[in-house]
Amino acid sequence: MTSECSPRFLASDNTSGICPEAMEYLLEANRCDDLAYGNDLWTARAADRFREMFDYDCDVFFVFNGTAANSLALSAMGRSYHSVICHELAHIETDECGGPEFFSNGAKLLTSPGANGKLTPEGIEALVTKRSDIHYPKPKVVSLTQATEVGTLYSREELMAIRAIADKHDLRLHMDGARFANACASLNATPAEITWQVGVDALCFSGTKNGLAFGEAILFFNRELAEDFSYRCKQAGQLASKMRFVSAPWLGLLESGAWLTNAQHANEMARYLSEGLQALPGVSLMFPTQANSVFVELPPHAIEALKAKGWTFYTFIGAGGARFVCAWNTTVELLDGLLADIRAVLER
């Protein structure tokens, strides 16, 4: 069976296929039988490789998707009467169908505004000190998204400032790393430098957006929080019986370095698109392009015309807002085609 691939998917890096390095390891893991439920050699190797890469003896768990990773990690970081502070645009607030509240048996999300999609120490403290009575869900966790939902990045200095306010109020720090690899690539930082070295307690590291078919890794740097976490995964339906097919592709990314080169390429393509868009008359960026997402204001008629031509992108940012996301396999030719179509539409 053959099918023609559409060349116009820029709505999300979830639309990309499996990168060659991940596919190679997946096929290798399929050559021989192995133990089930994460007791296989591939899963052990992948977990050890994460520890080497982060230079930390962290606890590592694999789940199928990002919603499960965030929801289960947060459920382990607080109790049902606690609250999680996050940005008002955070994925856990807007796009996870109440998963964090469900798996924590009721812990409430408290949201704060912030420029460019980022939490601030002042915003966090305002929520923590708003009330202290027993009728208010006690703040316990701060959740950061790196890169943010609008494609911006927390610097090391910003992360350290948030850790300082978290320490002041005895808060734990969770990082939603749906595009963590893109953040490392853009900041030219090691994984350690923007996680445990700045006080992150737990990281949800996405592979799906970086070349895997599925599979997220949850890393607990505060290992006390990982107590009995494997039971949470099992109860939530996240314990893969053939876990090697989740972990082996991860190992392909880690051992080959593709986790970083894939992200670097996606970031480079986003910068290329961003620069091309800014050269068009009447087009303006909504947020700085710092990772692999480009947010741009376009006239409504241009948005409709592009969709009619088969381009896929999201317009959930408000009237005139469009998001284009580049992936490990995005090409200059694809972006040149988009830019040409946008120019033609605007000139009409």
Side-chain angles (χ1 to χ4, degrees), residues 315-336:
T315 55
F316 52 74
I317 319 96
R323 185 191 81 167
F324 299 96
V325 183
C326 299
W328 67 270
N329 59 347
T330 301
T331 64
V332 169
E333 291 75 19
L334 175 69
L335 300 182
D336 282 343

Side-chain angles (χ1 to χ4, degrees), residues 176-193:
D176 175 356
R179 296 181 175 92
F180 179 75
N182 302 91
C184 290
S186 185
L187 293 170
N188 194 27
T190 67
E193 287 174 333

Side-chain angles (χ1 to χ4, degrees), residues 215-237:
E216 318 293 295
I218 306 170
L219 281 63
F220 284 99
F221 306 107
N222 182 344
R223 297 183 66 180
E224 292 181 2
L225 300 176
E227 183 179 359
D228 292 337
F229 191 75
S230 57
Y231 287 87
R232 289 185 185 272
C233 293
K234 171 63 179 179
Q235 187 180 63

Side-chain angles (χ1 to χ4, degrees), residues 281-331:
V283 175
S284 60
L285 295 184
M286 300 177 68
F287 305 100
T289 302
Q290 297 180 339
N292 65 320
S293 302
V294 181
F295 292 79
V296 64
E297 290 184 358
L298 293 172
H301 78 275
I303 288 176
E304 294 307 314
L306 290 173
K307 288 184 176 180
K309 288 177 174 290
W311 292 104
T312 68
F313 52 94
Y314 285 129
T315 55
F316 52 74
I317 319 96
R323 185 191 81 167
F324 299 96
V325 183
C326 299
W328 67 270
N329 59 347
T330 301
T331 64

